[in-house]
Amino acid sequence: MIFLKTQAIEAPVVTCEKGKTYMKKSNENIESEISKTMELLDDMLPLKVYPLFRVRLMQKIELLPLQRKGYLDLRFALVSLLVIINFSFAFFLSPRNNERQETAAAIREVTENQSDDYTNQEFAYYDQTP
Amino acid sequence: MQKSGISSKEKLFKSLVAEHQEMVINTCYRFVFNREDAEDLAQDVFVEVFRSFEQFREEAKISTWIYRIAVTKSLDHLRRVKRKKRFGSLKRIIGAGDPSEDIAAPILDNPAEACTENERAAILFDALNTLPENQKTAFLLSKHEGYSNQEIADIMKTSVSAVESLVHRAKKNLHSKLYEYYKEH
């Protein structure tokens, strides 16, 4: 019974120690991989600038005011177009002068008719009776 | 008069480019790990410098101002790449992806460098991109020989002790990210 117990306890200890050794080695590997990876930043050689870099840059700078002017022109053209569209819609949708006069005449006729309806002879009877 | 003003501005600009181009390109290179991108970003940095030259107030050194623009542009670029990557993977899921996008861009400048170095650089690049932006900036600038902690603090508009703390945290986080990666692979 004791033998078995001892054996039962001893066996995992060995395995555990083996596991420990394995883990330690693995950790060492990981650490060395990490330090190698981190060293990349320290070992990075500084880039040398190609002479074309400045040429390209100065070309960009020379184009810069033109691009800005072009951009402004485009904006101005767009705003003008919107204003024109707006005014033309307003012009076409609003009633024209003679149409306006016709409408006014029609309204006047209707109001006159209404006033006639209530001021004609038939209604006068009701006005005169006490 | 105006012409002479423009030419003096251009002269000053040219001298600024000559003085800082190497530092700007290398700063961008540390962020993007790619020469072409670094050069394009450096071009954008100097175009921005030229455009907003009048807005520069001498609260900081002009070099600090230029390097700050370089850092901002690099971070913007990384954000764009991240967004593109996310969108690309979404496109791949729905089957509308462009297969040419899967071809990896060369990470290191020297073609003679071993494949493992390239892989290592890609791992480092990915791990760096998981860091918060302020940690990443402080750490990458600290790795650059040209910057002192005071300069990094000026670029990031913070204190030297804050920079030290950011660098420390970045190292710790980077270590744990790399540890996780190498444990799995």
Side-chain angles (χ1 to χ4, degrees), chain B residues 86-134:
Chain B
R86 226 177 282 152
F87 188 64
S89 57
L90 188 74
K91 269 184 8 186
R92 263 199 303 279
I93 290 166
I94 60 167
D98 178 9
S100 66
E101 283 174 7
D102 293 337
I103 301 165
I107 290 151
L108 293 175
D109 193 44
N110 187 357
E113 289 202 70
C115 188
T116 46
E117 288 286 285
N118 260 336
E119 202 185 329
R120 215 182 274 287
I123 293 160
L124 179 62
F125 184 70
D126 284 345
L128 278 167
N129 281 333
T130 57
L131 295 179
E133 279 184 353
N134 54 356

Side-chain angles (χ1 to χ4, degrees), chain A residues 27 30-31 33-34 36-38 40-42 46-48 50 53-54 56-58 60-61, chain B residues 14 17 21 26 29-30 35 39-40 43 46 50 117 120-121 124 139 143 174-175 179 182:
Chain A
N27 268 348
I30 291 171
E31 288 299 336
E33 286 293 322
I34 291 170
K36 273 180 199 168
T37 309
M38 296 278 263
L40 273 183
L41 279 174
D42 300 319
L47 295 180
K48 279 180 185 168
Y50 294 143
F53 175 81
R54 266 160 85 180
R56 264 180 63 204
L57 178 64
M58 291 323 288
K60 266 190 184 177
I61 296 293
Chain B
K14 276 180 184 171
V17 174
Q21 58 181 1
N26 279 296
Y29 183 55
R30 297 233 156 214
R35 181 176 188 126
E39 279 193 355
D40 287 345
Q43 296 255 333
F46 284 115
F50 186 82
E117 288 286 285
R120 215 182 274 287
L124 179 62
F139 177 69
K143 285 284 175 188
L174 201 58
H175 184 277
Y179 189 89
Y182 284 118

Side-chain angles (χ1 to χ4, degrees), chain A residues 29-100:
Chain A
N29 280 343
I30 291 171
E31 288 299 336
S32 78
E33 286 293 322
I34 291 170
S35 60
K36 273 180 199 168
T37 309
M38 296 278 263
E39 273 166 21
L40 273 183
L41 279 174
D42 300 319
D43 298 340
M44 248 184 180
L45 291 172
L47 295 180
K48 279 180 185 168
V49 185
Y50 294 143
L52 269 178
F53 175 81
R54 266 160 85 180
V55 178
R56 264 180 63 204
L57 178 64
M58 291 323 288
Q59 276 176 344
K60 266 190 184 177
I61 296 293
E62 275 167 26
L63 285 172
L64 206 61
L66 289 173
Q67 279 175 353
R68 197 156 181 81
K69 201 185 165 196
Y71 170 71
L72 284 174
D73 285 349
L74 194 73
R75 264 185 67 179
F76 180 72
L78 196 72
V79 169
S80 317
L81 188 72
L82 280 173
V83 168
I84 290 165
I85 290 170
N86 203 7
F87 272 105
S88 49
F89 261 102
F91 179 76
F92 282 114
L93 290 178
S94 68
R96 288 182 189 158
N97 268 349
N98 34 352
E99 277 175 6
R100 244 184 241 156

Side-chain angles (χ1 to χ4, degrees), chain B residues 4 42 52 54 57 59 65 111 116 122 134 152 156 166 178 181:
Chain B
S4 72
S52 43
E54 282 86 19
R57 287 172 199 153
E59 289 163 354
W65 179 62
T116 46
N134 54 356
I152 299 170
M156 295 181 73
L166 283 169
L178 289 173
Y181 177 82

Side-chain angles (χ1 to χ4, degrees), chain B residues 11 28 31 34 37-38 42-43 51 72 96 107 116 133 145 159 164 168 179-180:
Chain B
K11 266 184 193 171
C28 296
F31 279 85
N34 180 294
D37 288 348
Q43 296 255 333
R51 256 192 210 147
T72 314
I107 290 151
T116 46
E133 279 184 353
E145 278 176 14
S159 63
E164 284 166 355
H168 177 73
Y179 189 89
E180 270 172 41

